[in-house]
Amino acid sequence: MPAVTSTRTQVAIVGGGPAGLMLSHLLHRAGIDSVVVDHRTVEEIRTTHRAGILERDSVRLLAETGVYESGHERVITDGDRHGGIYLRFGGESHHVDFEHLVGASVWLYPQTDVFVDLHAARTRDGGDVRYGISGVAVHDLDTDLPRVTYADEDGQAQEVTADLVVGADGSRSTCRDLVEGRQRYSRTYPFAWFGILCEAPRSSDELIYARSERGFALISQRTDSVQRMYFQCDPAEDAGAWSDDRIWSELQARLAGPDGFQLNEGPVIERTVLPFRSFVQTPMRSGRLLLAGDAAHTVPPTGAKGLNLALADTRVLAEVVERALGKGDLDVLDDYTDRALARVWKAQHFSYWMTTMLHQVPGQQEHRDFDELRQLGELTSLVSSEAGATYLAEGYTGWPTA
Ligand code: PHB
């Protein structure tokens, strides 16, 4: 058995989540080879629940770039088109009608399904995707032929040499530590989300983002019989310590109101606490290394921008990589950071804004009283002004791709 098995490709992609797979797919369409490696197994990724909202352009990217065999666009047939959301405060729901305001919708289509579809597409097209491996490391970034090394499932040492390496290795990225001259910007929040999956019928036709005196709650959906919901909690909360009854009484209290809204209950089949963080690392390129998705930026989940930003990165990245490798001119890659970051900072603001408009910040009573009334003023001005609601609709459905 040779000491190391070597593979030569054009682009080595570290991370086989939606960002890594979408990039590999787009590169394949442009005639560029790639190898994707990930320490997680396909099963682990497929069963980790993440957000469920796709912007208009994310749906287009999936439906119009050959991810599906023609006529079988699962994102369209199995996803649910949502023409708006409800903002709920003061015990009443206010509809924000995206279709009316900006002529666009979003799609409820969970990230796990996006992963399954992209994985199926890469497998169908003969893509080289390697999961369940260990000890991934990147070397020789200062040469013309960087290397990614790892041990495969049988412990055999493997190496992939490539013209470019892409770090699409998520919020715990190790690739981002290799970027020279990096700057990091971040913000933490004094709360988290308690997320549940439950077996219950839908309670609403569209998502409900609710602000209450007890804190934020979000009523989302998955299928006719399984729903996804979240409520603001302490970051140190122990999800296992909450009984179904306690979860339901907290959610009911946050959704209650004089309009008589009914929240449908059922057995809780999964519970997790999701951390909140805003983070950006720049530049997103350092020589032959490029970053995509959560590796370079994370957003809090309010507004569901994370996956959409990652997909927007891959679109720009595939285009600059195609030009750079086609011309043999790496300077073309310089465009990537600026083009991707323009969208990233808009989404950072949008996620931060939605978060701070809807969550309770623990602290001095005097400040809390002020903030509560200020938030109600903000929400009222938003739902009673076409200009205010249009800003929300535009950001939520996604800005046009640069
Ligand atoms: C979800 O369905 O998981 C979801 C939807 C909207 C968000 C966050 C999460 O803002």
Side-chain angles (χ1 to χ4, degrees), residues 13-15 17-24 165-171 173 175-176 179 281 283-285 289-298 306-307 309-318 336 340 344:
I13 302 175
V14 181
L21 288 179
M22 180 54 98
L23 179 66
S24 175
V165 175
V166 172
D169 50 344
S171 57
S173 172
C175 288
R176 69 173 166 232
V179 170
Q281 175 174 302
M284 288 169 67
R285 177 215 167 188
L289 174 68
L290 300 120
L291 301 178
D294 282 1
H297 42 76
T298 49
L307 171 59
L309 268 188
L311 294 177
D313 281 354
T314 65
R315 186 202 302 259
V316 178
L317 188 49
Y336 175 56
V344 166

Side-chain angles (χ1 to χ4, degrees), residues 6-329:
S6 198
T7 310
R8 174 75 166 97
T9 190
Q10 288 173 285
V11 183
I13 302 175
V14 181
L21 288 179
M22 180 54 98
L23 179 66
S24 175
H25 170 72
L26 294 174
L27 292 176
H28 170 71
R29 304 224 343 140
I32 297 168
D33 288 337
S34 64
V35 173
V36 176
V37 298
D38 198 304
H39 64 87
R40 297 166 298 176
T41 62
V42 168
E43 196 53 20
E44 267 172 77
I45 305 178
R46 204 182 57 73
T47 53
T48 306
H49 295 287
R50 306 287 292 270
I53 290 289
L54 293 178
E55 294 172 0
R56 174 183 42 188
D57 283 353
S58 299
V59 175
R60 285 195 183 139
L61 191 63
L62 284 161
E64 294 172 11
T65 65
V67 170
Y68 304 97
E69 294 191 44
S70 178
H72 294 86
E73 288 79 9
R74 207 164 77 94
V75 65
I76 306 284
T77 54
D78 293 11
D80 279 335
R81 194 174 69 78
H82 284 202
I85 56 168
Y86 294 95
L87 287 178
R88 188 168 172 83
F89 56 95
E92 278 176 26
S93 291
H94 304 261
H95 192 231
V96 181
D97 186 339
F98 301 157
E99 278 293 343
H100 165 72
L101 293 162
V102 292
S105 299
V106 293
W107 289 78
L108 188 99
Y109 192 71
Q111 177 161 336
T112 42
D113 289 87
V114 173
F115 169 75
V116 167
D117 296 353
L118 287 168
H119 185 254
R122 288 314 291 126
T123 308
R124 181 195 65 211
D125 294 343
D128 190 340
V129 290
R130 308 174 183 187
Y131 289 87
I133 56 155
S134 55
V136 178
V138 179
H139 314 265
D140 303 339
L141 277 171
D142 52 353
T143 71
D144 288 349
L145 205 59
R147 283 182 306 135
V148 174
T149 59
Y150 65 90
D152 68 18
E153 275 176 318
D154 302 325
Q156 167 68 41
Q158 297 274 352
E159 132 185 305
V160 179
T161 55
D163 299 308
L164 299 172
V165 175
V166 172
D169 50 344
S171 57
R172 295 199 201 97
S173 172
T174 50
C175 288
R176 69 173 166 232
D177 296 339
L178 304 172
V179 170
E180 282 176 19
R182 60 188 171 271
Q183 295 222 33
R184 290 180 176 171
Y185 305 88
S186 73
R187 178 159 187 131
T188 54
Y189 300 82
F191 43 75
W193 275 6
F194 195 113
I196 64 159
L197 269 183
C198 63
E199 282 168 5
R202 285 191 182 88
S203 297
S204 168
D205 53 341
E206 290 172 351
L207 270 55
I208 305 173
Y209 287 82
R211 183 214 169 275
S212 86
E213 282 160 27
R214 299 181 64 91
F216 171 76
L218 169 61
I219 308 305
S220 184
Q221 317 171 349
R222 285 296 177 266
T223 65
D224 286 341
S225 55
V226 175
Q227 312 309 325
R228 182 81 163 144
M229 301 178 195
Y230 303 91
F231 57 91
Q232 175 184 353
C233 69
D234 189 286
E237 196 63 69
D238 172 12
W242 284 64
S243 67
D244 283 20
D245 281 353
R246 189 171 164 214
I247 291 172
W248 286 117
S249 69
E250 190 58 49
L251 277 165
Q252 293 288 5
R254 295 186 190 198
L255 272 298
D259 65 354
F261 171 75
Q262 291 280 335
L263 181 65
N264 294 323
E265 301 186 5
V268 175
I269 49 180
E270 207 194 274
R271 62 198 82 203
T272 17
V273 172
L274 287 85
F276 258 60
R277 189 169 181 226
S278 299
F279 170 81
V280 179
Q281 175 174 302
T282 177
M284 288 169 67
R285 177 215 167 188
S286 163
R288 290 177 181 266
L289 174 68
L290 300 120
L291 301 178
D294 282 1
H297 42 76
T298 49
V299 286
T302 330
K305 284 279 161 268
L307 171 59
N308 292 295
L309 268 188
L311 294 177
D313 281 354
T314 65
R315 186 202 302 259
V316 178
L317 188 49
E319 192 195 305
V320 294
V321 166
E322 186 184 349
R323 276 200 282 138
L325 294 184
K327 279 195 191 167
D329 175 7

Side-chain angles (χ1 to χ4, degrees), residues 386-402:
E386 181 117 349
T390 302
Y391 174 74
L392 174 67
E394 193 180 46
Y396 201 97
T397 56
W399 307 276
T401 308

